[in-house]
């Protein structure tokens, strides 16, 4: 059975986050990028799996929390460095993901 449409953003962002963390590690040797990418990406993929089952509210809440943390962390980095890549981009995508998953979590709130 295919996952519902609202799970796709969590799966996609999770996969891209893991890949981005790996790229940061291989290009700059950043263990922090690798660790954060693996943790945040895994949480997003896990939230997509939850959304695909009967735990839509919990899955969207986890995805919103993870996206918010990514956005806040990278937003601070963007303000400090002024560099759009990767900090500004990740902060912006995280903010969009946060808004989407908050909206979806409220739809599933009992």
């Amino acid at each position: 059975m295919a996952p519902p449409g609202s799970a796709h953003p969590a799966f996609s962002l999770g996969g891209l986050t893991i890949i981005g963390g790996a790229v940061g590690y291989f290009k700059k040797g950043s263990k922090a990028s690798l660790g954060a990418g693996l943790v945040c990406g895994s949480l997003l993929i896990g939230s997509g799996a939850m959304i695909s089952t009967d735990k839509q509210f919990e899955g969207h809440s986890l995805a919103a929390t993870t996206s918010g943390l990514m956005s806040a962390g990278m937003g601070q980095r963007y303000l400090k460095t002024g560099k759009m890549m990767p900090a500004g981009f990740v902060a912006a995508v995280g903010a969009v993901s946060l808004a989407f998953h908050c909206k979806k979590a409220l739809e599933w709130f009992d």
Side-chain angles (χ1 to χ4, degrees):
M1 181 158 127
S6 62
H8 291 286
F11 285 130
S12 299
L13 184 56
L16 290 173
T17 302
I18 290 172
I19 291 169
V23 168
Y25 175 75
F26 288 116
K27 285 184 89 175
K28 302 283 186 178
S30 173
K31 292 178 184 175
S33 291
L34 180 62
L38 287 172
V39 170
C40 291
S42 297
L43 287 170
L44 287 164
I45 290 172
S47 70
M50 291 172 74
I51 294 165
S52 296
T53 63
D54 61 345
K55 297 188 182 291
Q56 290 88 0
F57 174 74
E58 293 86 349
H60 286 296
S61 297
L62 177 60
T65 302
T66 304
S67 297
L69 291 173
M70 285 174 43
S71 185
M74 293 303 267
Q76 287 179 342
R77 185 171 166 197
Y78 172 72
L79 293 174
K80 182 178 176 184
T81 65
K83 293 184 179 180
M84 188 60 186
M85 283 302 287
F89 180 75
V90 174
V93 171
V96 170
S97 177
L98 170 63
F100 172 77
H101 288 291
C102 281
K103 177 185 178 298
K104 297 304 281 185
L106 290 173
E107 288 176 11
W108 287 99
F109 185 71
D110 290 8

